[in-house]
Amino acid sequence: MVLDWPKTNETIISSLKLGNEYYDKIIKSIELLGYNGNIEFDVKEDGLHIHLPEKQVGKHAFVFKVLSE
């Protein structure tokens, strides 16, 4: 969950970084609740980088559903 829409249209979840010893599943897709489009993402050494839509979806908190194997 993100409490504010990032100015760069990207948010990073550091706890889901590449090589995380507590979450070793492969992330297949990301969903932004309330949004019907595709969400692009990259898993890097500093975290899960989620690329958000150009237009803000909603006004308050933003919730992501992480789907993995």
Side-chain angles (χ1 to χ4, degrees), residues 6-41:
K7 293 179 179 22
T8 62
N9 284 9
E10 178 183 74
T11 191
I12 301 171
I13 301 175
S14 59
S15 60
L16 294 177
K17 66 184 178 182
L18 188 64
N20 181 346
E21 63 186 87
Y22 302 109
Y23 192 84
D24 60 356
K25 298 178 182 178
I26 296 172
I27 297 173
K28 297 186 105 182
S29 65
I30 304 288
E31 295 178 5
L32 171 58
L33 300 186
Y35 179 71
N36 291 326
N38 291 330
I39 299 293
E40 298 291 325
F41 68 94

Side-chain angles (χ1 to χ4, degrees), residues 27-61:
I27 297 173
K28 297 186 105 182
S29 65
I30 304 288
E31 295 178 5
L32 171 58
L33 300 186
Y35 179 71
N36 291 326
N38 291 330
I39 299 293
E40 298 291 325
F41 68 94
D42 298 301
V43 181
K44 299 181 180 181
E45 291 182 0
D46 64 339
L48 171 64
H49 292 244
I50 301 173
H51 308 283
L52 302 173
E54 289 187 27
K55 185 175 180 184
Q56 181 174 327
V57 178
K59 295 181 181 180
H60 304 289

